[in-house]
Amino acid sequence: LLDDLHWADAASLELFHFLCRQLVDDPIAILGTINDGERDAHPSLRTVVGSLRSLNHIDEQPLSPLGENDIAELIGHVFGVDRTVTSRFTGALYGWTRGNPFFVKETLGELVASGRLREKGGSWIGWETDDLSLPRSIREAVELQLERLPADARAIAESCAIIGSDASLRTLRAVCDLEESD
């Protein structure tokens, strides 16, 4: 599973392309996820996808936003609550996120981290919508979660955002001035 291929560098995409071509007859599935908007801005990724498409080595499965029923099922599965308890909440969450899976996940994570949704006596509470305050955007949902991190963890996350996916432990220790135990 290669998540977020749109963030991969050219060399990693070349390796991905090579593996896809070489393993075509082997009983191996390689699953890669790509944000369509990001793919269009990434020439190397467009080239790799185009090549694999022309070789018929790719099976593209576009994902649609989650429907309100999908979100209700997700909430029921993750939190173990009945749809009748969460129906108004689910409707509000769907209307707010328009079914964007990442936004749904981050919003639920923020509501749990903030204590708005919490477990009490073996069941989850906080599904009321009268005073429901949801993050305005995906960015805000992520930022709210980052704000709750301890200062050292937040510094590491900020450094990773700047350095990128190639951030080694050695680099992070040097940049963040951390001891190995930290």
Side-chain angles (χ1 to χ4, degrees), residues 66-78:
L66 298 173
E68 192 170 336
N69 284 333
D70 299 322
I71 294 173
E73 187 176 326
L74 174 73
I75 290 171
H77 179 75
V78 170

Side-chain angles (χ1 to χ4, degrees), residues 86-93 116 126-133:
T86 63
S87 63
R88 287 186 59 207
F89 175 88
T90 299
L93 183 61
R116 166 63 198 223
W127 304 109
E128 303 80 22
T129 58
D130 297 336
D131 62 345
L132 184 61
S133 175

Side-chain angles (χ1 to χ4, degrees), residues 99-175:
N100 179 307
F102 184 73
F103 197 9
V104 170
K105 175 187 167 290
E106 291 301 316
T107 299
L108 288 171
E110 165 53 27
L111 292 172
V112 170
S114 70
R116 166 63 198 223
L117 292 179
R118 60 199 175 285
E119 198 170 14
K120 183 176 181 182
S123 61
W124 285 88
I125 61 171
W127 304 109
E128 303 80 22
T129 58
D130 297 336
D131 62 345
L132 184 61
S133 175
L134 298 173
R136 292 186 302 266
S137 65
I138 295 171
R139 181 184 187 103
E140 184 178 314
V142 172
E143 286 175 347
L144 287 168
Q145 291 203 31
L146 285 172
E147 287 173 7
R148 286 190 176 78
L149 291 175
D152 285 349
R154 192 170 45 252
I156 292 170
E158 289 169 354
S159 296
C160 285
I162 293 166
I163 296 168
S165 61
D166 294 337
S168 68
L169 179 58
R170 174 196 260 174
T171 302
L172 288 173
R173 282 185 48 215
V175 169

Side-chain angles (χ1 to χ4, degrees), residues 6 34-42 46:
H6 49 273
I34 301 169
N35 178 304
D36 284 339
E38 297 289 334
R39 174 182 49 202
D40 296 341
H42 196 313
R46 282 195 320 265

